[in-house]
Each structure stands twice: as structure tokens, then as C-alpha cells.
Amino acid sequence: MVEHGTQEHNPVAGPPSERARVRRYHQIAAYDPQVVYDILDAMPLCHVGYVHNGSSFVTPTLQWRDGNRVFWHGSSASRMLKAVLEQDVCLTVSLYDGLVMARSAFSYNINHRSVMIFGRPEKLVDDDKEAQLRVMMDRMVPGQWDRLRPVTSQELKATTVLGMDITEASAKIRTGPPVDAEEDYDFPVWAGVIPVRMQVLPPEPDPRNLPDVTVPDGVAQFSIG
Amino acid sequence: MVEHGTQEHNPVAGPPSERARVRRYHQIAAYDPQVVYDILDAMPLCHVGYVHNGSSFVTPTLQWRDGNRVFWHGSSASRMLKAVLEQDVCLTVSLYDGLVMARSAFSYNINHRSVMIFGRPEKLVDDDKEAQLRVMMDRMVPGQWDRLRPVTSQELKATTVLGMDITEASAKIRTGPPVDAEEDYDFPVWAGVIPVRMQVLPPEPDPRNLPDVTVPDGVAQFSIG
């Protein structure tokens, strides 16, 4: 866990790149790869930013990580997946961990974790593509890939998988109670944190399940947040 | 609630703009303003996409809605807030509502809600700025603005508030069980949904609270997701 207001590390030798360097609240920024990895692993929903026909787009999609690379996938016909092969993108993951209620509106904040990664995605081909789809599945529900109806070559062809090295990245984490201006601590208003978390509920079987199927072991390991 | 696979509405007269028209999974797309509003109101964390120094950026920040406009704010020195006044941006909000486990990897999905809004933000000035900061606060904790140490003119000056009309927007909602290819329903694997939701935990008082302060009524109304 990053201690609030103290940590600033580099993911690679040397300083962060100009665009990856955090400006606002830089005192809570971290460039430590493990901090970046932990946030990516906690939240599969990411937001990919790119330009298409002169307009900025932010497309929500699912990411997964394997070593020092981040991956996402989609239909081979996707506007986003085609566009991002020709430009650098920004992939952002963020989690809302709580409302930080201070004594002044100006000191209100959000406890949060976020990561921004900049880079040029590459399209995976041949065996790499199927291998990473298996990794994606196993990140969600371990062992599930081998339990499913096997993937077909047509399905593989219709699916594009992109990978991007995690070389330009930064993370921000804010935790803990409000930090008010010292003179505001005497102001008579309640201050504190309303924590928020992701909650996984019990699995809901498909009404069309065959009578003898059982919930796979891996489902119990599903976690998010 | 949008019924899965059926709804496609327009927020304004006429068809959606070219960039707002949903391509992938267009059968779950909605252009109904109320659908867009409900998703914005459910999730304050948004992702703003813009270009700065030739690179795409996706900055997580908090949004709030007032009528048919969406707002966000930040430090007047923010790289993002300065950059977005000179370009159209994309503001995206999304929620992960559950993992949809199908019988084939190809039919896996995520139950989700998302909104994309395109437009040119405007900087709020004078009374409008303070008025919208009050709206932001009251959306989170009703009545809280008036309980806080009053905002100063220096604080207002250091804060930029942006507003953007919701005229180019689209929403996607996916709910319900997996939808497999008909011939896959005989494949003997468990299928179903692992639901996920945001959970609000009990408020944690700041250790430095004055002894006689009590949790404001509005805190009990805080909700997210």
C-alpha cells in the first residue's frame, strides 16, 4: 500500500516521460511498477483514449495484464481497435474508493486508485492471440478456458487482441482521512470518509443451464476492486 | 431500465451524430436522455479524453449533472482543464455490473452501463461557478455545502469549473444472462452471471473531529452505482 503523500517511484531507469509525469497532486503519484500492476489487476474495466476522424474518443473495455504488458480485445471490425494501431493511446484504469468529507469544500477529495499508461498497441497474431485470450479468461475465472466449448478459427479471426508494453505509466493513490488546512480543524462540522468498494454477489445460474452442471471452482475466486 | 437488445432512442430530434452513433453491439445502444442521465447520476467517476501536445490523454475526474449539462472541476492550473477549453472532448462514464459467463469464450460478456458524451466544454464564471460547486456537493451529500467552512474568493479563483451540453451522447446497457449460439446450449458447462455492485460502507469519522460534531443527515443518502 502506498502511504498517502509520500511515494514517487520510477517504473524504469530514469525519470518518467514528459507525458507520464503526474502534475496535479504529484505528491500522491507513484511510478513503481508493482503499484501500477496492482491497480490494473484490481479493475478489469479500463478506458482507452484515442483520436478518430479528428475527435477524441474514450472507449470503455476490459484489460488484463501479463507481466509488463497490458492487453485488450474486441471485434476485428471495431472502430477503436483499428484506429489505435496507428497512434499512441492512453489507457486509464481507476477505482472510486470513497468520498473524503473535509471541513471545507476546497479540501473535499476522493479516495481512489488510478493508472495511466501511454503507448502504441500492437496486434497479436497466431498463437499469441489465442494464448492471451486464455490468459484473459483465466484472470477472471481460473481454469475456465478449458471448460468451455472450444474456440473456433472463425471466432479467433473475428477477434482482435492488442498488447501494449507498460513502459510509460503512472499511478495515483489516495487513502485515509481528510486533510484540512490546519486552521479549519476547529470548524464545527463532521469530517470523515464514506468508503466505497466493489462487491461480488453470489453467482446467478443461467435459466437454460443443463440440469447436471455445477458452478466451476474458479467462480469462487472471482474478485474485483 | 433498458430491456436488453431492444432499445435505441435519440436524445434530440434527428439521428445521433456520426461520432456518437454506436457501432459495436448497437442493439444495446440507447440515445434516450433519461437513460444517459441515470448512468451519469449513478457514477460520479468519469474519464475525460482529450489531446495534449499531440498525445491522447484519459483523465479520471468527478462529474455531476444539472439538467442537460454535465460538469467537472479541478485546479485552475490543471493541464487537462486548460487543454479541453480548446477542443472537443469525450467524457465517458461506465459501470461494471457483472461478469457474464457463457458456454463459449466468444460469448462471454460484461453486464455494464456506459455513456459517451462528445462536446466542447465551457468555463463557468462568476456566480455560475459557485452555484455549480454547490450542486456538486449537494449531489454527493445533500445540504452539506451550507454546513462547511464557507468557500473563500481565493479558493474559487483556484478552481475551474467546466460545463458541457449533453447534445451528442450515447449509452450502452447490457443486463441479464448470457446469450450463447443456439447450438451451444447443449454444451455441458455452467453458465450464468457473477453480479458486481458498488457498496457504500459505514462512514469513518476523522480522528481529529471535534467531540460534539455528529454525522450529517445527508451522509445516509450517499449512494453510488
Side-chain angles (χ1 to χ4, degrees):
Chain A
M1 177 55 70
V2 172
E3 196 180 343
H4 173 49
T6 61
Q7 200 157 354
E8 187 159 356
H9 290 297
N10 295 327
V12 291
S17 75
E18 179 60 17
R19 62 184 173 183
R21 186 168 62 81
V22 174
R23 266 68 160 197
R24 307 307 310 162
Y25 296 101
H26 58 83
Q27 69 280 14
I28 60 171
Y31 302 98
D32 183 325
Q34 194 58 50
V35 173
V36 170
Y37 296 167
D38 287 348
I39 295 171
L40 292 173
D41 296 350
M43 186 49 169
L45 186 62
C46 72
H47 291 82
V48 177
Y50 58 100
V51 173
H52 180 62
N53 288 343
S55 292
S56 285
F57 282 78
V58 176
T59 299
T61 190
L62 296 183
Q63 58 79 27
W64 67 99
R65 183 182 69 84
D66 191 16
N68 195 47
R69 295 193 94 193
V70 62
F71 299 87
W72 66 104
H73 83 305
S75 162
S76 297
S78 152
R79 159 171 73 181
M80 182 265 283
L81 269 65
K82 283 179 182 168
V84 301
L85 289 170
E86 295 161 5
Q87 63 187 283
D88 282 13
V89 305
C90 176
L91 185 151
T92 297
V93 168
S94 58
L95 293 115
Y96 185 118
D97 293 327
L99 175 62
V100 182
M101 298 176 62
R103 292 156 184 88
S104 75
F106 197 68
S107 295
Y108 261 61
N109 213 324
I110 301 296
N111 280 340
H112 64 275
R113 290 164 284 166
S114 68
V115 163
M116 293 173 77
I117 305 172
F118 299 90
R120 176 73 56 102
E122 288 174 353
K123 197 170 167 173
L124 272 60
V125 293
D126 302 331
D127 293 349
D128 284 348
K129 182 155 88 172
E130 184 170 345
Q132 277 302 329
L133 290 171
R134 175 190 284 271
V135 171
M136 172 187 67
M137 184 66 71
D138 284 349
R139 288 277 186 279
M140 298 190 289
V141 182
Q144 190 70 351
W145 182 266
D146 288 329
R147 296 186 195 104
L148 297 175
R149 191 267 289 151
V151 69
T152 68
S153 57
Q154 291 95 321
E155 289 172 342
L156 282 175
K157 195 175 171 188
T159 304
T160 293
V161 180
L162 301 177
M164 189 166 82
D165 290 338
I166 306 174
T167 47
E168 281 189 69
S170 63
K172 276 189 183 181
I173 299 181
R174 196 212 180 273
T175 59
V179 178
D180 275 293
E182 197 52 43
E183 61 269 26
D184 285 340
Y185 279 91
D186 288 334
F187 193 85
V189 63
W190 186 91
V193 173
I194 307 179
V196 171
R197 67 170 182 187
M198 306 286 288
Q199 183 185 27
V200 177
L201 301 175
E204 298 173 347
D206 186 347
R208 293 188 63 180
N209 273 347
L210 296 179
D212 54 349
V213 298
T214 54
V215 181
D217 287 342
V219 168
Q221 297 169 51
F222 180 81
S223 74
I224 189 168
Chain B
M1 178 54 72
V2 172
E3 196 179 342
H4 172 48
T6 60
Q7 200 156 355
E8 188 160 355
H9 290 296
N10 296 327
V12 290
S17 75
E18 179 61 17
R19 61 184 173 184
R21 186 169 60 83
V22 173
R23 268 68 159 195
R24 307 308 308 162
Y25 296 99
H26 58 84
Q27 70 279 14
I28 60 171
Y31 303 98
D32 183 325
Q34 194 58 50
V35 172
V36 171
Y37 297 168
D38 287 347
I39 295 171
L40 293 173
D41 296 351
M43 186 49 169
L45 186 61
C46 73
H47 292 83
V48 177
Y50 59 99
V51 173
H52 180 62
N53 288 342
S55 293
S56 285
F57 283 78
V58 177
T59 299
T61 191
L62 296 183
Q63 58 79 27
W64 68 99
R65 183 183 68 84
D66 191 15
N68 195 48
R69 295 193 94 192
V70 62
F71 299 87
W72 66 103
H73 82 304
S75 161
S76 296
S78 153
R79 159 171 74 180
M80 182 265 283
L81 269 64
K82 283 179 182 168
V84 301
L85 288 169
E86 294 161 6
Q87 63 187 284
D88 282 12
V89 305
C90 176
L91 184 151
T92 297
V93 169
S94 58
L95 293 116
Y96 185 117
D97 291 328
L99 175 62
V100 182
M101 298 177 61
R103 292 155 186 89
S104 76
F106 198 68
S107 294
Y108 262 62
N109 214 324
I110 301 297
N111 280 340
H112 63 275
R113 289 164 284 166
S114 67
V115 163
M116 291 172 79
I117 306 171
F118 299 91
R120 177 72 56 102
E122 289 174 351
K123 196 170 169 174
L124 272 61
V125 293
D126 302 331
D127 292 348
D128 285 347
K129 181 154 89 171
E130 184 169 346
Q132 276 303 330
L133 291 171
R134 175 190 283 270
V135 171
M136 172 187 67
M137 184 65 72
D138 283 348
R139 289 277 187 278
M140 298 190 290
V141 181
Q144 189 70 353
W145 182 265
D146 288 329
R147 296 185 194 106
L148 297 174
R149 189 268 288 151
V151 70
T152 68
S153 58
Q154 290 96 321
E155 288 172 342
L156 282 175
K157 194 174 171 189
T159 304
T160 292
V161 179
L162 300 178
M164 187 165 83
D165 290 338
I166 305 174
T167 48
E168 282 189 68
S170 64
K172 277 190 183 181
I173 300 181
R174 196 212 179 273
T175 60
V179 178
D180 274 292
E182 197 53 41
E183 62 269 27
D184 285 341
Y185 280 90
D186 288 334
F187 193 86
V189 64
W190 186 90
V193 172
I194 307 179
V196 171
R197 67 170 181 186
M198 307 286 289
Q199 183 185 26
V200 176
L201 301 175
E204 298 172 347
D206 186 347
R208 293 188 62 181
N209 273 347
L210 297 178
D212 54 350
V213 296
T214 54
V215 181
D217 287 341
V219 168
Q221 296 168 52
F222 180 81
S223 74
I224 189 168

